Amino acid sequence: MATQTAPTSAPPFGTVAAPTMVVADVADGRYDDLRVVPTRELTLHPFAHVLHYGSACFEGLKAHRGTDGVVRLFRHDRHVARMQRTAELLLLPVPPATLLTEAIERVVAENLDVIPAPPGALYVRPMLFGTEPNIGAAAAPSREAQLVVVASPVGDYFAGGGRALSLLLETVLPRTTPQFGEAKAGANYVMALGVTHRAKAEHAVDQVLFAPGGLVQETGAANFLLLDDDRVVTPALDSSFLHGVTRDAVLTLARDLGYRVEERDVPVEELLAWDGEAALAGTAAVLAAVGSLVHGDGRTTFGDGEVGPNTTRLRDALVAVQRGEAPDAHGWLAPVG
Ligand SMILES: Cc1ncc(COP(=O)(O)O)c(C=O)c1O
């Protein structure tokens, strides 16, 4: 992957490294000072805990360049808290909130020059992994670790931008184990990879919607919502899926706009009978319309199969806040630089 300067058109999501990253080493659970260094290869001992026992987690958040030119991080406090929670679940040394916050703000400040204009953004990817060199430590936490915060100038996550997505409904297999759903750990993604890869190859869909036991959870990289002119319906938070920051923002804006928000079980029968729109919410996906769902009995279309008006309305409301075009009524933005 090559480092490059400010792109003129949006590159594929996640393929371009911003020039500068921030690193902190952790020994005996204690975090060293942050180091700001060029984005480059990492050095790992081949016995490193992460390479054998999967002690790795990450976060994903964005800094947006507003239409006024100001760069603002979106809800980074929430991403810091979620990474602390994930680290706790993986028994990795939990990064102090102040240090992780500073690392995120530093990486944005150092890479201001490569942040594309809207709809592009700087995607910030903090990572934490166990580095203790001990291949006998399968049942022991890694006391050594490294925190690395990289960044990437990005455009659209789903190739095709504004088109409605198609999903395959999976009603047997879970995305990951129930107690780890709320962790943003690499292991969760690799567990879902086979199912998602097969779905793409065999059904030409964009993603898999996991609904083990007949109750909707989420897709492999975003939360799922049903919408109509009055309501937004989405699964209530539990430990089986990731507690998306975008999900929370969309639900908050939906309430502000007068929608009734229902956080509850969403049975597959209701999903297949839904007379309205469906969408995916996530930092990368923003709010992406779902046009159709492939399932055992065939294909269900949401609305007219295109991007619906309620999805557009909520997406526009979210993007307007992120770009500094609408008032930041909930204190979600932090200017950088
Ligand atoms: C599995 C999964 N669910 C949901 C989300 C959405 O979370 P957020 O809105 O915090 O990005 C993500 C990340 O984007 C994810 O990877």
Side-chain angles (χ1 to χ4, degrees), residues 79 82 175 184 189 218-223 242 244-246 281-283:
H79 291 274
R82 192 168 68 187
R175 172 178 167 259
K184 202 160 169 69
Y189 294 82
E218 62 175 339
T219 65
N223 295 123
L242 196 74
V245 178
T246 315
T283 295

Side-chain angles (χ1 to χ4, degrees), residues 230-282:
D230 306 310
R231 286 188 295 166
V232 179
V233 179
T234 196
L237 296 179
D238 64 24
S239 64
S240 73
F241 70 92
L242 196 74
H243 300 181
V245 178
T246 315
R247 171 192 177 281
D248 183 80
V250 169
L251 297 187
T252 303
L253 293 173
R255 285 189 191 95
D256 290 352
L257 291 170
Y259 289 87
R260 195 165 79 243
V261 171
E262 297 177 12
E263 295 179 76
R264 57 166 170 80
D265 283 354
V266 181
V268 160
E269 296 74 33
E270 180 179 8
L271 170 70
L272 297 180
W274 184 254
D275 182 19
E277 301 163 42
L280 299 184

Side-chain angles (χ1 to χ4, degrees), residues 3-334:
T3 294
Q4 72 176 50
T5 49
T8 47
S9 64
F13 193 98
T15 57
V16 176
T20 304
M21 65 182 187
V22 175
V23 180
D25 296 317
V26 189
D28 263 336
R30 212 188 65 82
Y31 278 76
D32 266 1
D33 292 343
L34 299 176
R35 289 180 285 125
V36 178
V37 296
T39 305
R40 61 177 177 229
E41 288 74 15
L42 302 169
T43 305
L44 275 182
H45 193 284
F47 282 27
H49 197 275
V50 63
L51 297 179
H52 306 270
Y53 306 121
S55 51
C57 64
F58 63 98
E59 264 304 321
L61 65 158
K62 278 180 180 168
H64 302 265
R65 187 180 294 287
T67 28
D68 54 3
V70 177
V71 171
R72 301 173 179 90
L73 272 161
F74 184 69
R75 307 194 77 181
H76 65 321
D77 55 335
R78 286 292 190 115
H79 291 274
V80 165
R82 192 168 68 187
M83 191 164 199
Q84 289 183 303
R85 172 73 182 135
T86 304
E88 207 173 270
L89 285 165
L90 298 186
L91 302 191
L92 279 164
V94 176
T98 45
L99 178 122
L100 185 51
T101 303
E102 192 190 333
I104 290 168
E105 291 172 353
R106 280 297 288 278
V107 94
V108 176
E110 294 289 337
N111 291 299
L112 283 178
D113 290 353
V114 300
I115 304 182
L122 188 71
Y123 182 74
V124 179
R125 172 56 70 89
M127 305 173 269
L128 176 65
F129 45 90
T131 54
E132 185 161 330
N134 180 357
I135 54 174
S142 181
R143 288 162 305 179
E144 294 175 22
Q146 202 165 47
L147 172 72
V148 181
V149 187
V150 294
S152 174
V154 295
D156 265 322
Y157 179 63
F158 290 111
R163 79 181 165 83
L165 305 173
S166 61
L167 307 180
L168 177 73
L169 182 64
E170 169 57 63
T171 56
V172 178
L173 297 173
R175 172 178 167 259
T176 176
T177 54
Q179 75 273 26
F180 262 87
E182 63 172 305
K184 202 160 169 69
N188 284 347
Y189 294 82
V190 84
M191 276 192 260
L193 186 57
V195 178
T196 309
H197 188 64
R198 268 195 306 282
K200 286 182 176 183
E202 290 169 15
H203 299 279
V205 292
D206 297 289
Q207 272 289 339
V208 172
L209 178 62
F210 290 92
L215 288 181
V216 173
Q217 287 179 340
E218 62 175 339
T219 65
N223 295 123
F224 183 80
L225 302 97
L226 293 170
L227 312 84
D228 64 18
D229 292 348
D230 306 310
R231 286 188 295 166
V232 179
V233 179
T234 196
L237 296 179
D238 64 24
S239 64
S240 73
F241 70 92
L242 196 74
H243 300 181
V245 178
T246 315
R247 171 192 177 281
D248 183 80
V250 169
L251 297 187
T252 303
L253 293 173
R255 285 189 191 95
D256 290 352
L257 291 170
Y259 289 87
R260 195 165 79 243
V261 171
E262 297 177 12
E263 295 179 76
R264 57 166 170 80
D265 283 354
V266 181
V268 160
E269 296 74 33
E270 180 179 8
L271 170 70
L272 297 180
W274 184 254
D275 182 19
E277 301 163 42
L280 299 184
T283 295
V286 191
L287 189 65
V290 176
S292 63
L293 185 70
V294 177
H295 50 89
D297 297 329
R299 183 181 283 265
T300 295
T301 300
F302 294 105
D304 60 4
E306 303 298 330
V307 182
N310 293 291
T311 305
T312 301
R313 188 175 176 212
L314 284 167
R315 183 186 166 106
D316 287 352
L318 174 61
V319 165
V321 174
Q322 290 173 333
R323 293 184 191 163
E325 292 165 358
D328 178 21
H330 301 282
W332 288 339
L333 302 174

